[in-house]
Amino acid sequence: MEQKQKKNGAIVAIIAMMFLFAMISFVTNMAAPFGTIWKQQYEWAGMVGNMMNFAAYLFMGIPAGVMITKIGYKKTALVALALGFIGIAVQYLSSTMNGEAIGTYVVYLLGAFICGFCVCILNTVVNPMLNLLGGGGNRGNQLIQTGGSLNSLAATLTPMLAGAMIGEITKETSLSDVSPLLLIALAIFAVSFIIIYFTKIEEPEVEKSNVMEGVKGALSYRHLVLGIIAIFFYVGIEVGIPGQLLFYLSEPGGVLGSMAVAGAIAGVYWLLMLVGRFTSAFISGKVSSRTQLIVTSAVAIILLVVAIFMPESQTMNLKIGFLNIDANVPVKVLLIILCGLCTSVMWGVIFNLATEGLGKYTPSASGLFMTMVVGGGVMPLIQNLMAKSVGDIPSYWLVVAMLAYLLFYALVGCKPAKK
């Protein structure tokens, strides 16, 4: 009887964690569409909101791991959801302001920063808990990939909703155009808080340890150190690919000039991530994390290199009825969004490979991971600055270089070993 109760508790915990996985993506993927609005006001502002969202990871990564050891997974998740509600409320406030644009932008950035704390803490909770509930190894990765499928579904819908609300990008476009999306986000956070609060979650045992001792112990593993570098680059890849594509397609007088269509096309990238994660959830029980990372990083490099060299004049008609897409776009755009199939599995497999065999140091390792997710703000910002000098498509050479490191990690760096 007791064993059955534990099993039921584990199932409830898994469902709750997967729901939170979707919340992470919903909040994170609002930044890039909103950035296309601010870019019309300030040329440099396109990726700064995204940067603020991810900058919070730098400050909250390790403290989030400490929170888990002190108050447990459930209470830590509730703190994160409360912060998410506050962050979205601040962003909504900025959409109602009629003062100076720069003052409005500062308030928006503050909201994005607070939301960054929320998603950082949620990530710190969700990934290790799913890995532990799955017993680590391939089964742990399988649960992470399943949760990642819901994450990708939310990521698919967010830019589509934002793009549909924004429509044609002009100098008059403002954040008030997407205020309904912010109200939806507020409602989701409120409901999520209530659901998690009343859900009984059977938490995995977490061995208490000194913060610095935990960090030092985790960093004594070479494959973790190389893994947190890999996660820094990976998040930069995942965010940079669709983020820069949005600017390339939506710029007034550019390839499409329509945020509605550009948002829908970017949504296809996240939809392909959903397909990839769903597929990985089925095969991860048999195909190792290392093999998945080798194949996906190599294929992504090939796709991007071909896209960079392919002439823009080579176009195709992209027609997807259920997404309301019917536009002539360069073929290279298709190759870039196909990378979503590759990036889809990378988060789970890197986390799985880097935390293998860490035992009691897993919460500290998760905190270190979350700190390095700041790469999702730093690297896309660097790519965006590169694009101003070399062009949108040539800026993807930076992504190719980061993928090359992931391939190295899969081939050599992921083998479990202490320094």
Side-chain angles (χ1 to χ4, degrees):
M1 185 70 178
E2 186 179 345
Q3 189 175 0
K4 187 178 180 181
Q5 286 179 338
K6 282 187 177 181
K7 186 178 179 181
N8 291 337
I11 292 171
V12 171
I14 289 169
I15 293 171
M17 291 305 108
M18 289 184 179
F19 182 75
L20 293 180
F21 227 140
M23 293 295 301
I24 292 167
S25 188
F26 183 72
V27 175
T28 303
N29 285 282
M30 288 193 295
F34 291 0
T36 62
I37 297 174
W38 290 112
K39 194 171 184 287
Q40 303 311 305
Q41 305 295 326
Y42 311 104
E43 181 64 26
W44 46 268
M47 275 292 182
V48 177
N50 179 74
M51 173 64 192
M52 291 298 290
N53 196 270
F54 281 95
Y57 282 82
L58 188 62
F59 300 96
M60 200 64 209
I62 294 175
V66 174
M67 286 175 67
I68 292 173
T69 61
K70 297 291 183 183
I71 63 175
Y73 285 90
K74 179 177 175 177
K75 289 180 181 177
T76 303
L78 290 173
V79 170
L81 292 170
L83 284 170
F85 185 90
I86 294 169
I88 295 294
V90 172
Q91 290 185 63
Y92 179 76
L93 176 64
S94 73
S95 74
T96 64
M97 294 173 66
N98 297 315
E100 290 293 322
I102 190 67
T104 304
Y105 189 51
V106 169
V107 174
Y108 163 73
L109 290 179
L110 175 62
F113 189 64
I114 296 171
C115 282
F117 283 113
C118 161
V119 291
C120 173
I121 298 171
L122 286 181
N123 258 317
T124 312
V125 169
V126 168
N127 287 280
M129 189 161 186
L130 283 177
N131 201 38
L132 288 168
L133 288 168
N138 288 352
R139 172 63 178 161
N141 181 40
Q142 194 170 27
L143 285 181
I144 292 174
Q145 297 299 355
T146 305
S149 299
L150 293 177
N151 182 280
S152 295
L153 179 61
T156 301
L157 297 174
T158 304
M160 290 180 183
L161 286 171
M165 291 176 184
I166 294 169
E168 298 292 323
I169 291 282
T170 67
K171 289 288 184 182
E172 284 69 45
T173 306
S174 69
L175 204 62
S176 61
D177 295 318
V178 291
S179 58
L181 185 61
L182 292 168
L183 288 174
I184 292 170
L186 280 173
I188 290 173
F189 268 109
V191 172
S192 300
F193 186 93
I194 294 169
I195 291 172
I196 298 299
Y197 182 83
F198 287 104
T199 300
K200 186 178 180 181
I201 297 176
E202 194 72 34
E203 303 199 16
E205 289 293 326
V206 177
E207 188 172 333
K208 309 294 183 183
S209 63
N210 178 273
V211 177
M212 292 312 297
E213 178 190 331
V215 171
K216 186 179 177 182
L219 289 175
S220 68
Y221 292 84
R222 183 179 64 89
H223 67 291
L224 173 68
V225 174
L226 296 177
I228 59 177
I229 297 171
I231 217 70
F232 178 88
F233 286 146
Y234 161 68
V235 188
I237 293 165
E238 184 196 273
V239 176
I241 289 176
Q244 197 58 47
L245 192 64
L246 271 176
F247 294 125
Y248 174 64
L249 295 173
S250 65
E251 195 67 29
V255 178
L256 294 177
S258 168
M259 182 55 204
V261 180
I265 291 174
V268 174
Y269 169 86
W270 297 107
L271 184 63
L272 290 174
M273 286 193 70
L274 169 61
V275 173
R277 284 173 170 169
F278 192 71
T279 303
S280 179
F282 278 98
I283 68 171
S284 289
K286 296 180 179 179
V287 182
S288 71
S289 298
R290 182 169 179 262
T291 300
Q292 290 185 54
L293 187 56
I294 290 171
V295 172
T296 54
S297 53
V299 171
I301 289 171
I302 294 168
L303 287 171
L304 287 180
V305 170
V306 173
I308 290 168
F309 284 109
M310 183 173 287
E312 193 173 276
S313 57
Q314 195 168 339
T315 62
M316 62 174 287
N317 180 256
L318 186 62
K319 191 171 184 178
I320 306 176
F322 75 98
L323 294 179
N324 199 27
I325 298 176
D326 186 2
N328 284 316
V329 297
V331 176
K332 63 175 64 190
V333 171
L334 177 62
L335 297 178
I336 292 171
I337 62 176
L338 279 173
C339 289
L341 287 171
C342 301
T343 56
S344 62
V345 306
M346 290 178 178
W347 172 273
V349 297
I350 293 171
F351 185 88
N352 185 256
L353 289 169
T355 58
E356 192 68 31
L358 264 61
K360 68 176 183 179
Y361 299 124
T362 300
S364 297
S366 184
L368 289 167
F369 254 74
M370 293 310 110
T371 301
M372 298 306 284
V373 170
V374 71
V378 174
M379 301 314 293
L381 183 62
I382 293 173
Q383 184 184 358
N384 190 236
L385 294 174
M386 277 181 62
K388 298 183 193 308
S389 301
V390 301
D392 289 307
I393 298 302
S395 73
Y396 281 93
W397 280 118
L398 178 64
V399 180
V400 171
M402 292 188 286
L403 284 165
Y405 177 83
L406 297 191
L407 184 57
F408 154 77
Y409 182 68
L411 291 170
V412 181
C414 69
K415 295 175 182 176
K418 283 204 166 189
K419 285 183 187 175

